[in-house]
Amino acid sequence: MSEQGLPEAPAEQWTPPEGSWASSAASRRSMLRNRNRDTAPELLLRSLVHAAGLRYRVAAKPLPKMRRTADMVFRPVKVAVFIDGCFWHGCPEHFVMPKTNRPYWEEKINRNIQRDRDTDNRLAEAGWLVLRFWEHLEPAACAATVIEAVAARRQEVQASKHPRGAS
């Protein structure tokens, strides 16, 4: 019995299915709570960029036929912003390979990195500027980079619409 007089929950009996990434019930619960959007680093960056007067799409597909979303999308100027988590994207500074279920995680993280590179290449081929930031970077510095890049792309778009010397 617990302190409140309630019966204690039985010890958790959970066995991971064959090939599962979850090495324990606690690991599974922890991983299921991870967010894939609206993380703290994303919210900080979005807040700073919004305060600078820029508007953007959140968690949007830069290209309609691409099954991938960017954290921030500036469609008119073709700028896609990604904030990559150190664990999920294999940060060279902070990533530590889990000791449990190592083969699964090596394959998973490598697939994520390959998908990131493929996304970057496909967007670049379509004329997009891709900005990637690690979650541990200073949000103000990342915001300044985004603001400068969007401003520069806007100038390029304006210049192409109104070339000098045209009447």
Side-chain angles (χ1 to χ4, degrees):
M1 290 279 195
S2 69
E3 291 177 5
Q4 293 83 15
L6 300 171
E8 299 242 351
E12 198 167 340
Q13 298 296 320
W14 182 81
T15 305
E18 184 65 34
S20 172
W21 50 266
S23 56
S24 69
S27 169
R28 182 174 186 276
R29 278 192 310 274
S30 173
M31 297 309 276
L32 288 173
R33 284 193 300 261
N34 286 324
R35 303 182 72 128
N36 64 355
R37 65 171 278 184
D38 299 334
T39 63
E42 286 177 43
L43 293 174
L44 279 168
L45 179 61
R46 288 186 346 218
S47 174
L48 293 168
V49 170
H50 190 273
L54 298 182
R55 301 301 177 256
Y56 45 83
R57 297 280 177 204
V58 175
K61 293 179 184 180
L63 301 175
K65 294 184 180 187
M66 183 180 268
R67 289 185 53 215
R68 298 168 193 168
T69 60
D71 298 314
M72 298 169 66
V73 175
F74 299 86
R75 278 204 183 96
V77 293
K78 294 186 174 182
V79 174
V81 179
F82 297 87
I83 298 95
D84 293 338
C86 291
F87 176 77
W88 295 107
H89 298 269
C91 171
E93 262 184 75
H94 299 109
F95 177 70
V96 176
M97 184 64 67
K99 292 180 179 136
T100 306
N101 209 359
R102 189 178 182 101
Y104 170 83
W105 288 111
E106 285 176 344
E107 183 181 334
K108 171 69 175 158
I109 301 305
N110 286 332
R111 270 194 329 262
N112 289 352
I113 293 168
Q114 289 170 356
R115 186 175 51 249
D116 291 346
R117 295 306 143 257
D118 179 61
T119 299
D120 294 351
N121 291 335
R122 289 170 62 184
L123 289 173
E125 287 171 5
W128 284 73
L129 172 64
V130 176
L131 299 175
R132 284 194 179 271
F133 303 103
W134 291 110
E135 68 178 340
H136 65 265
L137 294 177
E138 175 60 41
C142 298
T145 300
V146 171
I147 293 163
E148 289 170 18
V150 170
R153 295 290 285 228
R154 281 187 178 154
Q155 286 180 338
E156 291 172 16
V157 168
Q158 288 299 326
S160 68
K161 287 182 181 177
H162 308 287
R164 289 183 180 210
S167 22

